[in-house]
Amino acid sequence: GHVSFTSGDLYNPEYGNGIGSSCGSLTKPGTQYEPLKIEEQHQIINSYGLAFLNAHLRSDAETSPGMAASAGTFNGEYLTANHFGDEVLLNAKP
């Protein structure tokens, strides 16, 4: 949820998606919402965030010292695929 982009879990691990983890799922009706561990949430957010930054904001991502390895993995192509299985719902247009 949106809270995944914050550090709210540091203050209250039960915060979940902002309404706690004892609520109904928004993506799987009839089931209970269970947030991913915050480390997993941040890994997903950071990988797609870095790919976006490398692909759309860093004109020197592939040539800047120290950036080639990052840009080789986390790039525009990375944004078009799901790298986290059932943990991510990805809708990408080519």
Side-chain angles (χ1 to χ4, degrees):
H2 288 91
V3 179
S4 302
F5 293 92
T6 73
S7 297
D9 62 291
L10 296 174
Y11 309 106
N12 181 356
E14 182 60 20
Y15 198 69
N17 65 355
I19 54 177
S21 61
S22 60
C23 64
S25 172
L26 299 175
T27 56
K28 297 178 184 174
T31 64
Q32 287 297 108
Y33 168 78
E34 293 194 29
L36 293 174
K37 292 181 181 176
I38 196 62
E39 297 84 8
E40 293 177 63
Q41 294 176 37
H42 287 176
Q43 179 185 12
I44 293 168
I45 292 163
N46 290 344
S47 67
Y48 284 106
L50 180 58
F52 177 84
L53 294 172
N54 282 341
H56 299 289
L57 299 178
R58 285 198 65 113
S59 61
D60 65 342
E62 295 187 20
T63 59
S64 178
M67 289 299 301
S70 169
T73 301
F74 301 103
N75 51 39
E77 186 175 325
Y78 186 91
L79 295 172
T80 65
N82 182 347
H83 302 276
F84 296 94
D86 291 340
E87 307 302 346
V88 171
L89 299 175
L90 177 70
N91 294 314
K93 294 181 182 179

